[in-house]
Amino acid sequence: MKQRHVMEDVDKTVEDKVERKKLLDGMLGYIFSCTQEAVVVPPYVAFAVRPNPGIWEYVKVNADDLQVGCIEAAEYLKYKEMIFDEKWASDGNALELDFGAFDFSTPLMADSSSIGNGLNSTTKILASRMSESSQSIKHLLDYLVSLNYQGENLMIKDTLNTMPKLQQALKVAEAYVSTLHKDTPYHKFEDRFKEWGFDKGWGNTAGRVKETMRLLSEVLVSADQVKLESLFSWLPNIFNIVIVSIHGYFGQEQVFGLPDTTGQMVYILDQVKALETELLHKIELQGLDHVKPQILLVTRLIPDAKGTTCNQELEPITKTKHSNILRVPFWTEKRVLRQWVSRFDIYPYLERFAQDATDKILDLAKGKPDLIIGNYTNGNLVAYLMASKLGVTLATISHALEKTKYEDSDAKWMEFEEKYHFSCQFTADIISMNAADFIINSTYQEIAGNTHKPGQYETYTAFTMPGLCRIVSGINVFDPKFMIASPGADQSVYFPSTDKERRMTIYHPAIEELLYTKNDNNEHIGFLQDTKKPIIFSMARLDKAKNLSGLVEWYARNIRLRSLVNLVVVGGSFNPAKSKYREESEEIKKIYFLMKEYNLKGNFRWIAAQTNRYRNSELYRYIADRKGAFLQPAFYEGFGLTVIEAMSCGLPTFATNQGGPADIIVDEVSGFLIDPYNRDGSSEKKIVDFFERCKTDSEHWNRMSKAGLLRINECFTWKIHANKVLNMGSIYGFSRRLNREKKLTKERYIQMFYNLQFRNLANKVPIPSETPLDPTQMP
Ligand code: UDP
Ligand code: LCN
């Protein structure tokens, strides 16, 4: 039973309203209000109670004698399993996993509000270890001595490998640079520094060198969090980064609208640009002009590339100087797999892919990367395999954990198996999130949800897949490895509609055709009779979870809304028979049905998936010019890039309160949050009220537009993101080194789970039939 079922039962059982209120106001009512799930196995009812984000308690009530007792997660999960697979539930030797057993000495975040701020906490822990133990300071010293770029030593030579020697040399060097003008370039005093035991990397000018030296001297005497964080933000320790994102058609053009090619690609391409810019900036300030940072974006090579560049092995990334896409093919037992495969069927190829990609990376980058970042379940698993082989710092990003999108997808995994292979997906997730040195999150929601709903990661705290394994401790969201670094929208593309000089008016004729012509064609169907009305705009893949059909239904049924605005939806394709997405054809059929049932002619335009982000950005702005709004109606959204794209273009935005958008928008301040289930009609009212108010108060639209922009500039930019990620790489990288032995124990457990469980599951996923590859076309 979910909470709503428990409440329904209370309503049914206690009919008297006064009695019911008394009950709900008491302790039992409080427990019910925090209950996420209950399992009824007579005479017991077991409750999974979540009083606060991240905090779970399990309670068992005996319905015969009303005895109440706390139980462990394992016992609760066994009750749950009784519902699905009684035999397995009572098997004393069923596979049970406990990742928490290795984390008993990891200091955790103190309370729910600090979840997702792990960098601060990690730095604090490191600082206190430094001040308490000379052994930790020695580790820092060894770490600094080991810094190098492709074999060229940086900062400290190994002649200064003891504390007294280093401190003495620092004193002399600091005194010397203090006598120089702060802008004196490093090369002017480089020789003298070499004699004292120092190499490049301290800074490009006397001023910066002095600052870095002062920070180090202070940290050696007494480390505190602020000093340590500043010091690590300046250390030259990251030059080469590998980013792994495997599924989809990963290209820079002509890929949108192709299956599994989503916001993840937009995010990563923008992230690469931001990281490279930040790396170049840091390298310049470190005085290492000769160093060329390298970012390799590793993805799958698809021989049947459908007119995209996805069959090219190496492709430079536009708007970068040194970053490339590296594509590596999937192999079946005997040959390269030519065609695209869904992300749900991708598992049999990953191990070989990881090996081949690692070899290519070592060859291209002329050495090991300094940081590997995985993306989504499959990319995270491959990133884990690479990082553990190379001994490199590992970061992971989920984008979306599918487990949250489908109710009971863990307990009912067998029902979903043929279509989605969740057994592989959730196993891979739990492996990579435990192996990661740090996890990059877009929002708090993603980790720990809100007071009512668990976060995506939180659903891995304790769960069971009856018949497969029981995870009594999967991940702890209080672990300081969780750190929020929200993405942004490329500000050279998504800028405000009021920025007249940069407007891409060249697209206006095409946009007008897209929105207003009366004919139906391959790109649009339906038309807008009254072209003066503002537009409610939405754009997404046609997945069930995106709920575009739900938006069409709301609009169709709401006479008031239909009289105030037109609806324009961009998404998917129009032919259900040809659709390649698993869920798209049903959504297509549903929209067709609604168009007919509610006669949406003249009010509604449906535009097929769009591939040109420049034109899309101008479309947002064009709709803003006409005082429209963006609406994102998803049942659940991991983050929601369209939300920040729309807000960056100055379009007032309504977005789902389920998932990431709830952290992007401050409700009724920088936009509006809506409930996609709209149980009480209040969300529809919010939309109607907005447009009605805009009619009488001409400033209302402008105020919301400006407030949205302000929110974006303060919290959601790629510059802030890149800076944070590099600082994470630096601090968590050092922390990993300091905790090497402890990490090794857990890594062994993870390896065993991978070998004994994941490989078997992956081997069961069917491989599509194919025609043999012509050897002359071998990549
Ligand atoms: N997008 C697009 N064309 C479409 C639909 C979406 O270019 O027809 C882009 C959209 O502008 C955004 C991304 O795809 O950059 C979708 O990202 P979001 O985070 O909203 O959702 P996802 O698809 O990743 O779940
Ligand atoms: C995947 C999703 O589903 C979206 O919610 C995110 O915005 C996107 O990736 C980028 O992280």
Side-chain angles (χ1 to χ4, degrees), residues 343-383:
R343 66 186 193 277
F344 295 114
D345 305 332
I346 210 165
Y347 302 100
Y349 319 97
L350 298 182
E351 188 170 307
R352 166 85 192 257
F353 178 90
Q355 279 162 12
D356 294 350
T358 307
D359 294 344
K360 286 266 176 207
I361 292 164
L362 292 178
D363 202 27
L364 273 169
K366 313 248 172 314
K368 287 192 214 174
D370 304 303
L371 173 64
I372 299 181
I373 306 179
N375 289 275
Y376 193 75
T377 307
N378 47 53
N380 287 336
L381 189 81
V382 167

mmCIF file of all heavy atoms in Angstrom, residues 343-383:
data_model
loop_
_atom_site.group_PDB
_atom_site.id
_atom_site.type_symbol
_atom_site.label_atom_id
_atom_site.label_comp_id
_atom_site.label_asym_id
_atom_site.label_seq_id
_atom_site.Cartn_x
_atom_site.Cartn_y
_atom_site.Cartn_z
ATOM 1 N N ARG A 343 18.650 2.323 -24.894
ATOM 2 C CA ARG A 343 19.419 2.342 -23.641
ATOM 3 C C ARG A 343 18.964 1.224 -22.709
ATOM 4 O O ARG A 343 19.700 0.822 -21.811
ATOM 5 C CB ARG A 343 19.314 3.711 -22.963
ATOM 6 C CG ARG A 343 17.934 4.092 -22.453
ATOM 7 C CD ARG A 343 17.965 5.533 -21.955
ATOM 8 N NE ARG A 343 16.799 5.906 -21.176
ATOM 9 C CZ ARG A 343 15.640 6.309 -21.678
ATOM 10 N NH1 ARG A 343 15.467 6.342 -22.994
ATOM 11 N NH2 ARG A 343 14.640 6.672 -20.899
ATOM 12 N N PHE A 344 17.774 0.705 -22.912
ATOM 13 C CA PHE A 344 17.300 -0.377 -22.041
ATOM 14 C C PHE A 344 17.910 -1.740 -22.417
ATOM 15 O O PHE A 344 17.799 -2.695 -21.666
ATOM 16 C CB PHE A 344 15.765 -0.451 -22.089
ATOM 17 C CG PHE A 344 15.110 0.778 -21.532
ATOM 18 C CD1 PHE A 344 14.368 1.630 -22.338
ATOM 19 C CD2 PHE A 344 15.258 1.116 -20.189
ATOM 20 C CE1 PHE A 344 13.775 2.774 -21.823
ATOM 21 C CE2 PHE A 344 14.671 2.264 -19.662
ATOM 22 C CZ PHE A 344 13.928 3.093 -20.483
ATOM 23 N N ASP A 345 18.495 -1.829 -23.614
ATOM 24 C CA ASP A 345 19.041 -3.122 -24.081
ATOM 25 C C ASP A 345 20.558 -3.085 -24.218
ATOM 26 O O ASP A 345 21.159 -3.928 -24.880
ATOM 27 C CB ASP A 345 18.458 -3.459 -25.470
ATOM 28 C CG ASP A 345 16.950 -3.452 -25.478
ATOM 29 O OD1 ASP A 345 16.358 -3.717 -24.423
ATOM 30 O OD2 ASP A 345 16.360 -3.161 -26.542
ATOM 31 N N ILE A 346 21.191 -2.123 -23.591
ATOM 32 C CA ILE A 346 22.586 -1.797 -23.917
ATOM 33 C C ILE A 346 23.624 -2.631 -23.141
ATOM 34 O O ILE A 346 24.812 -2.619 -23.448
ATOM 35 C CB ILE A 346 22.786 -0.274 -23.653
ATOM 36 C CG1 ILE A 346 23.838 0.318 -24.559
ATOM 37 C CG2 ILE A 346 23.073 0.005 -22.202
ATOM 38 C CD1 ILE A 346 23.805 1.843 -24.573
ATOM 39 N N TYR A 347 23.140 -3.385 -22.153
ATOM 40 C CA TYR A 347 24.062 -3.972 -21.167
ATOM 41 C C TYR A 347 25.067 -5.000 -21.675
ATOM 42 O O TYR A 347 26.197 -5.044 -21.189
ATOM 43 C CB TYR A 347 23.257 -4.503 -19.974
ATOM 44 C CG TYR A 347 22.459 -3.369 -19.383
ATOM 45 C CD1 TYR A 347 21.110 -3.200 -19.674
ATOM 46 C CD2 TYR A 347 23.091 -2.400 -18.627
ATOM 47 C CE1 TYR A 347 20.401 -2.108 -19.195
ATOM 48 C CE2 TYR A 347 22.395 -1.303 -18.151
ATOM 49 C CZ TYR A 347 21.055 -1.159 -18.442
ATOM 50 O OH TYR A 347 20.373 -0.071 -17.983
ATOM 51 N N PRO A 348 24.738 -5.869 -22.671
ATOM 52 C CA PRO A 348 25.709 -6.896 -23.048
ATOM 53 C C PRO A 348 27.004 -6.336 -23.645
ATOM 54 O O PRO A 348 28.003 -7.043 -23.718
ATOM 55 C CB PRO A 348 24.969 -7.716 -24.123
ATOM 56 C CG PRO A 348 23.551 -7.333 -24.039
ATOM 57 C CD PRO A 348 23.490 -5.982 -23.419
ATOM 58 N N TYR A 349 26.989 -5.078 -24.080
ATOM 59 C CA TYR A 349 28.152 -4.554 -24.810
ATOM 60 C C TYR A 349 29.106 -3.748 -23.934
ATOM 61 O O TYR A 349 30.166 -3.334 -24.375
ATOM 62 C CB TYR A 349 27.675 -3.643 -25.958
ATOM 63 C CG TYR A 349 26.476 -4.213 -26.678
ATOM 64 C CD1 TYR A 349 25.182 -3.801 -26.371
ATOM 65 C CD2 TYR A 349 26.643 -5.214 -27.636
ATOM 66 C CE1 TYR A 349 24.082 -4.345 -27.007
ATOM 67 C CE2 TYR A 349 25.538 -5.777 -28.274
ATOM 68 C CZ TYR A 349 24.259 -5.329 -27.949
ATOM 69 O OH TYR A 349 23.171 -5.879 -28.567
ATOM 70 N N LEU A 350 28.686 -3.480 -22.703
ATOM 71 C CA LEU A 350 29.402 -2.448 -21.933
ATOM 72 C C LEU A 350 30.812 -2.846 -21.497
ATOM 73 O O LEU A 350 31.725 -2.026 -21.514
ATOM 74 C CB LEU A 350 28.566 -2.020 -20.719
ATOM 75 C CG LEU A 350 27.213 -1.387 -21.063
ATOM 76 C CD1 LEU A 350 26.490 -0.944 -19.799
ATOM 77 C CD2 LEU A 350 27.386 -0.201 -22.007
ATOM 78 N N GLU A 351 30.981 -4.104 -21.114
ATOM 79 C CA GLU A 351 32.296 -4.496 -20.591
ATOM 80 C C GLU A 351 33.368 -4.390 -21.680
ATOM 81 O O GLU A 351 34.430 -3.804 -21.473
ATOM 82 C CB GLU A 351 32.224 -5.917 -20.033
ATOM 83 C CG GLU A 351 33.488 -6.296 -19.319
ATOM 84 C CD GLU A 351 33.347 -7.601 -18.559
ATOM 85 O OE1 GLU A 351 32.413 -7.737 -17.751
ATOM 86 O OE2 GLU A 351 34.181 -8.496 -18.810
ATOM 87 N N ARG A 352 33.055 -4.915 -22.839
ATOM 88 C CA ARG A 352 34.007 -4.847 -23.946
ATOM 89 C C ARG A 352 34.233 -3.381 -24.355
ATOM 90 O O ARG A 352 35.356 -2.966 -24.649
ATOM 91 C CB ARG A 352 33.457 -5.677 -25.119
ATOM 92 C CG ARG A 352 34.133 -5.473 -26.450
ATOM 93 C CD ARG A 352 35.375 -6.345 -26.570
ATOM 94 N NE ARG A 352 36.173 -5.969 -27.702
ATOM 95 C CZ ARG A 352 36.212 -6.624 -28.856
ATOM 96 N NH1 ARG A 352 35.498 -7.719 -29.013
ATOM 97 N NH2 ARG A 352 36.976 -6.212 -29.842
ATOM 98 N N PHE A 353 33.143 -2.618 -24.355
ATOM 99 C CA PHE A 353 33.238 -1.199 -24.697
ATOM 100 C C PHE A 353 34.222 -0.499 -23.746
ATOM 101 O O PHE A 353 35.084 0.277 -24.176
ATOM 102 C CB PHE A 353 31.852 -0.548 -24.601
ATOM 103 C CG PHE A 353 31.848 0.928 -24.878
ATOM 104 C CD1 PHE A 353 31.658 1.406 -26.157
ATOM 105 C CD2 PHE A 353 32.041 1.849 -23.847
ATOM 106 C CE1 PHE A 353 31.654 2.782 -26.413
ATOM 107 C CE2 PHE A 353 32.046 3.217 -24.091
ATOM 108 C CZ PHE A 353 31.854 3.682 -25.380
ATOM 109 N N ALA A 354 34.105 -0.808 -22.454
ATOM 110 C CA ALA A 354 34.969 -0.156 -21.452
ATOM 111 C C ALA A 354 36.441 -0.477 -21.726
ATOM 112 O O ALA A 354 37.308 0.399 -21.656
ATOM 113 C CB ALA A 354 34.566 -0.592 -20.049
ATOM 114 N N GLN A 355 36.691 -1.736 -22.074
ATOM 115 C CA GLN A 355 38.089 -2.124 -22.343
ATOM 116 C C GLN A 355 38.627 -1.405 -23.574
ATOM 117 O O GLN A 355 39.707 -0.805 -23.554
ATOM 118 C CB GLN A 355 38.173 -3.627 -22.621
ATOM 119 C CG GLN A 355 38.179 -4.465 -21.377
ATOM 120 C CD GLN A 355 37.828 -5.912 -21.689
ATOM 121 O OE1 GLN A 355 37.792 -6.337 -22.845
ATOM 122 N NE2 GLN A 355 37.538 -6.677 -20.666
ATOM 123 N N ASP A 356 37.852 -1.461 -24.668
ATOM 124 C CA ASP A 356 38.307 -0.841 -25.923
ATOM 125 C C ASP A 356 38.487 0.660 -25.758
ATOM 126 O O ASP A 356 39.457 1.239 -26.240
ATOM 127 C CB ASP A 356 37.282 -1.091 -27.047
ATOM 128 C CG ASP A 356 37.200 -2.566 -27.406
ATOM 129 O OD1 ASP A 356 38.051 -3.337 -26.923
ATOM 130 O OD2 ASP A 356 36.270 -2.945 -28.150
ATOM 131 N N ALA A 357 37.507 1.273 -25.064
ATOM 132 C CA ALA A 357 37.572 2.737 -24.904
ATOM 133 C C ALA A 357 38.788 3.115 -24.049
ATOM 134 O O ALA A 357 39.482 4.094 -24.342
ATOM 135 C CB ALA A 357 36.291 3.247 -24.272
ATOM 136 N N THR A 358 39.072 2.323 -23.012
ATOM 137 C CA THR A 358 40.225 2.642 -22.155
ATOM 138 C C THR A 358 41.518 2.624 -22.985
ATOM 139 O O THR A 358 42.348 3.533 -22.875
ATOM 140 C CB THR A 358 40.334 1.626 -20.992
ATOM 141 O OG1 THR A 358 39.082 1.586 -20.327
ATOM 142 C CG2 THR A 358 41.403 2.009 -19.999
ATOM 143 N N ASP A 359 41.657 1.616 -23.828
ATOM 144 C CA ASP A 359 42.871 1.545 -24.662
ATOM 145 C C ASP A 359 42.989 2.771 -25.559
ATOM 146 O O ASP A 359 44.053 3.364 -25.692
ATOM 147 C CB ASP A 359 42.842 0.279 -25.540
ATOM 148 C CG ASP A 359 42.926 -0.982 -24.686
ATOM 149 O OD1 ASP A 359 43.306 -0.861 -23.502
ATOM 150 O OD2 ASP A 359 42.592 -2.073 -25.196
ATOM 151 N N LYS A 360 41.875 3.146 -26.166
ATOM 152 C CA LYS A 360 41.887 4.306 -27.078
ATOM 153 C C LYS A 360 42.243 5.583 -26.314
ATOM 154 O O LYS A 360 43.005 6.424 -26.794
ATOM 155 C CB LYS A 360 40.499 4.509 -27.698
ATOM 156 C CG LYS A 360 40.139 3.506 -28.737
ATOM 157 C CD LYS A 360 40.498 4.045 -30.115
ATOM 158 C CE LYS A 360 40.204 2.960 -31.148
ATOM 159 N NZ LYS A 360 40.997 3.025 -32.332
ATOM 160 N N ILE A 361 41.661 5.727 -25.130
ATOM 161 C CA ILE A 361 41.904 6.949 -24.341
ATOM 162 C C ILE A 361 43.388 7.061 -23.987
ATOM 163 O O ILE A 361 44.014 8.110 -24.155
ATOM 164 C CB ILE A 361 41.053 6.933 -23.039
ATOM 165 C CG1 ILE A 361 39.573 7.064 -23.378
ATOM 166 C CG2 ILE A 361 41.467 8.035 -22.088
ATOM 167 C CD1 ILE A 361 38.646 6.674 -22.232
ATOM 168 N N LEU A 362 43.962 5.946 -23.525
ATOM 169 C CA LEU A 362 45.370 5.986 -23.117
ATOM 170 C C LEU A 362 46.247 6.372 -24.302
ATOM 171 O O LEU A 362 47.228 7.103 -24.169
ATOM 172 C CB LEU A 362 45.801 4.622 -22.562
ATOM 173 C CG LEU A 362 45.152 4.234 -21.223
ATOM 174 C CD1 LEU A 362 45.611 2.856 -20.784
ATOM 175 C CD2 LEU A 362 45.490 5.262 -20.139
ATOM 176 N N ASP A 363 45.855 5.888 -25.455
ATOM 177 C CA ASP A 363 46.597 6.169 -26.666
ATOM 178 C C ASP A 363 46.474 7.649 -27.050
ATOM 179 O O ASP A 363 47.482 8.329 -27.277
ATOM 180 C CB ASP A 363 45.956 5.287 -27.751
ATOM 181 C CG ASP A 363 46.901 5.067 -28.889
ATOM 182 O OD1 ASP A 363 48.099 5.123 -28.626
ATOM 183 O OD2 ASP A 363 46.419 4.887 -30.032
ATOM 184 N N LEU A 364 45.240 8.135 -27.062
ATOM 185 C CA LEU A 364 44.994 9.510 -27.519
ATOM 186 C C LEU A 364 45.486 10.554 -26.531
ATOM 187 O O LEU A 364 46.055 11.572 -26.907
ATOM 188 C CB LEU A 364 43.496 9.731 -27.689
ATOM 189 C CG LEU A 364 42.888 9.362 -29.027
ATOM 190 C CD1 LEU A 364 41.378 9.387 -28.920
ATOM 191 C CD2 LEU A 364 43.349 10.345 -30.099
ATOM 192 N N ALA A 365 45.216 10.300 -25.243
ATOM 193 C CA ALA A 365 45.539 11.316 -24.229
ATOM 194 C C ALA A 365 46.986 11.192 -23.759
ATOM 195 O O ALA A 365 47.441 11.981 -22.952
ATOM 196 C CB ALA A 365 44.584 11.183 -23.062
ATOM 197 N N LYS A 366 47.690 10.206 -24.262
ATOM 198 C CA LYS A 366 49.085 9.941 -23.879
ATOM 199 C C LYS A 366 49.230 9.773 -22.373
ATOM 200 O O LYS A 366 50.132 10.299 -21.735
ATOM 201 C CB LYS A 366 50.019 11.061 -24.340
ATOM 202 C CG LYS A 366 49.853 11.509 -25.763
ATOM 203 C CD LYS A 366 51.061 11.129 -26.592
ATOM 204 C CE LYS A 366 50.913 11.377 -28.071
ATOM 205 N NZ LYS A 366 49.670 10.955 -28.702
ATOM 206 N N GLY A 367 48.299 9.089 -21.802
ATOM 207 C CA GLY A 367 48.383 8.812 -20.361
ATOM 208 C C GLY A 367 47.007 8.736 -19.756
ATOM 209 O O GLY A 367 45.998 8.865 -20.452
ATOM 210 N N LYS A 368 47.021 8.556 -18.437
ATOM 211 C CA LYS A 368 45.742 8.419 -17.731
ATOM 212 C C LYS A 368 45.052 9.765 -17.586
ATOM 213 O O LYS A 368 45.729 10.775 -17.380
ATOM 214 C CB LYS A 368 46.005 7.925 -16.309
ATOM 215 C CG LYS A 368 46.397 6.500 -16.183
ATOM 216 C CD LYS A 368 46.301 6.184 -14.702
ATOM 217 C CE LYS A 368 47.326 5.213 -14.232
ATOM 218 N NZ LYS A 368 47.280 5.043 -12.791
ATOM 219 N N PRO A 369 43.726 9.782 -17.629
ATOM 220 C CA PRO A 369 43.040 11.044 -17.320
ATOM 221 C C PRO A 369 43.140 11.355 -15.823
ATOM 222 O O PRO A 369 43.474 10.476 -15.026
ATOM 223 C CB PRO A 369 41.596 10.756 -17.713
ATOM 224 C CG PRO A 369 41.451 9.279 -17.678
ATOM 225 C CD PRO A 369 42.806 8.693 -17.946
ATOM 226 N N ASP A 370 42.831 12.591 -15.463
ATOM 227 C CA ASP A 370 42.855 12.962 -14.039
ATOM 228 C C ASP A 370 41.490 12.750 -13.398
ATOM 229 O O ASP A 370 41.377 12.692 -12.178
ATOM 230 C CB ASP A 370 43.245 14.433 -13.898
ATOM 231 C CG ASP A 370 44.572 14.707 -14.576
ATOM 232 O OD1 ASP A 370 45.550 14.041 -14.198
ATOM 233 O OD2 ASP A 370 44.620 15.538 -15.501
ATOM 234 N N LEU A 371 40.470 12.700 -14.229
ATOM 235 C CA LEU A 371 39.105 12.570 -13.701
ATOM 236 C C LEU A 371 38.243 11.886 -14.762
ATOM 237 O O LEU A 371 38.343 12.214 -15.945
ATOM 238 C CB LEU A 371 38.565 13.979 -13.400
ATOM 239 C CG LEU A 371 37.103 14.128 -12.998
ATOM 240 C CD1 LEU A 371 36.834 13.429 -11.661
ATOM 241 C CD2 LEU A 371 36.735 15.619 -12.864
ATOM 242 N N ILE A 372 37.417 10.937 -14.323
ATOM 243 C CA ILE A 372 36.470 10.313 -15.254
ATOM 244 C C ILE A 372 35.061 10.616 -14.738
ATOM 245 O O ILE A 372 34.761 10.391 -13.564
ATOM 246 C CB ILE A 372 36.683 8.787 -15.338
ATOM 247 C CG1 ILE A 372 38.104 8.494 -15.847
ATOM 248 C CG2 ILE A 372 35.651 8.141 -16.266
ATOM 249 C CD1 ILE A 372 38.435 7.021 -16.004
ATOM 250 N N ILE A 373 34.230 11.134 -15.642
ATOM 251 C CA ILE A 373 32.843 11.462 -15.258
ATOM 252 C C ILE A 373 31.896 10.591 -16.073
ATOM 253 O O ILE A 373 31.921 10.624 -17.301
ATOM 254 C CB ILE A 373 32.509 12.949 -15.524
ATOM 255 C CG1 ILE A 373 33.532 13.876 -14.856
ATOM 256 C CG2 ILE A 373 31.096 13.277 -15.047
ATOM 257 C CD1 ILE A 373 33.294 15.368 -15.101
ATOM 258 N N GLY A 374 31.082 9.802 -15.386
ATOM 259 C CA GLY A 374 30.095 8.969 -16.085
ATOM 260 C C GLY A 374 28.758 9.679 -16.158
ATOM 261 O O GLY A 374 28.482 10.589 -15.369
ATOM 262 N N ASN A 375 27.944 9.271 -17.122
ATOM 263 C CA ASN A 375 26.606 9.834 -17.264
ATOM 264 C C ASN A 375 25.587 8.735 -17.488
ATOM 265 O O ASN A 375 25.779 7.880 -18.361
ATOM 266 C CB ASN A 375 26.554 10.762 -18.486
ATOM 267 C CG ASN A 375 27.314 12.040 -18.256
ATOM 268 O OD1 ASN A 375 26.795 12.988 -17.695
ATOM 269 N ND2 ASN A 375 28.582 12.044 -18.642
ATOM 270 N N TYR A 376 24.524 8.779 -16.743
ATOM 271 C CA TYR A 376 23.412 7.828 -16.843
ATOM 272 C C TYR A 376 23.922 6.416 -16.507
ATOM 273 O O TYR A 376 25.110 6.149 -16.505
ATOM 274 C CB TYR A 376 22.784 7.872 -18.248
ATOM 275 C CG TYR A 376 21.454 7.164 -18.338
ATOM 276 C CD1 TYR A 376 20.302 7.725 -17.805
ATOM 277 C CD2 TYR A 376 21.355 5.919 -18.940
ATOM 278 C CE1 TYR A 376 19.090 7.059 -17.874
ATOM 279 C CE2 TYR A 376 20.146 5.252 -19.017
ATOM 280 C CZ TYR A 376 19.024 5.823 -18.486
ATOM 281 O OH TYR A 376 17.828 5.161 -18.551
ATOM 282 N N THR A 377 22.983 5.510 -16.242
ATOM 283 C CA THR A 377 23.328 4.161 -15.774
ATOM 284 C C THR A 377 24.462 3.530 -16.578
ATOM 285 O O THR A 377 25.460 3.068 -16.005
ATOM 286 C CB THR A 377 22.085 3.250 -15.903
ATOM 287 O OG1 THR A 377 20.994 3.882 -15.239
ATOM 288 C CG2 THR A 377 22.352 1.894 -15.310
ATOM 289 N N ASN A 378 24.312 3.516 -17.911
ATOM 290 C CA ASN A 378 25.311 2.786 -18.704
ATOM 291 C C ASN A 378 26.672 3.487 -18.710
ATOM 292 O O ASN A 378 27.716 2.843 -18.575
ATOM 293 C CB ASN A 378 24.796 2.522 -20.122
ATOM 294 C CG ASN A 378 24.188 3.752 -20.754
ATOM 295 O OD1 ASN A 378 24.818 4.804 -20.807
ATOM 296 N ND2 ASN A 378 22.941 3.642 -21.222
ATOM 297 N N GLY A 379 26.669 4.820 -18.839
ATOM 298 C CA GLY A 379 27.926 5.567 -18.830
ATOM 299 C C GLY A 379 28.590 5.507 -17.464
ATOM 300 O O GLY A 379 29.825 5.449 -17.354
ATOM 301 N N ASN A 380 27.790 5.498 -16.420
ATOM 302 C CA ASN A 380 28.352 5.423 -15.066
ATOM 303 C C ASN A 380 29.027 4.072 -14.845
ATOM 304 O O ASN A 380 30.092 3.989 -14.225
ATOM 305 C CB ASN A 380 27.255 5.636 -14.022
ATOM 306 C CG ASN A 380 26.809 7.086 -13.961
ATOM 307 O OD1 ASN A 380 27.554 7.992 -14.325
ATOM 308 N ND2 ASN A 380 25.588 7.319 -13.519
ATOM 309 N N LEU A 381 28.405 3.023 -15.356
ATOM 310 C CA LEU A 381 28.999 1.696 -15.161
ATOM 311 C C LEU A 381 30.331 1.594 -15.913
ATOM 312 O O LEU A 381 31.330 1.107 -15.381
ATOM 313 C CB LEU A 381 28.044 0.590 -15.637
ATOM 314 C CG LEU A 381 28.550 -0.788 -15.238
ATOM 315 C CD1 LEU A 381 28.207 -1.096 -13.784
ATOM 316 C CD2 LEU A 381 28.002 -1.877 -16.137
ATOM 317 N N VAL A 382 30.343 2.094 -17.142
ATOM 318 C CA VAL A 382 31.587 2.038 -17.918
ATOM 319 C C VAL A 382 32.643 2.927 -17.252
ATOM 320 O O VAL A 382 33.814 2.540 -17.134
ATOM 321 C CB VAL A 382 31.321 2.462 -19.383
ATOM 322 C CG1 VAL A 382 32.615 2.719 -20.118
ATOM 323 C CG2 VAL A 382 30.507 1.379 -20.089
ATOM 324 N N ALA A 383 32.233 4.096 -16.786
ATOM 325 C CA ALA A 383 33.173 4.992 -16.106
ATOM 326 C C ALA A 383 33.757 4.289 -14.879
ATOM 327 O O ALA A 383 34.956 4.396 -14.587
ATOM 328 C CB ALA A 383 32.475 6.280 -15.705
#
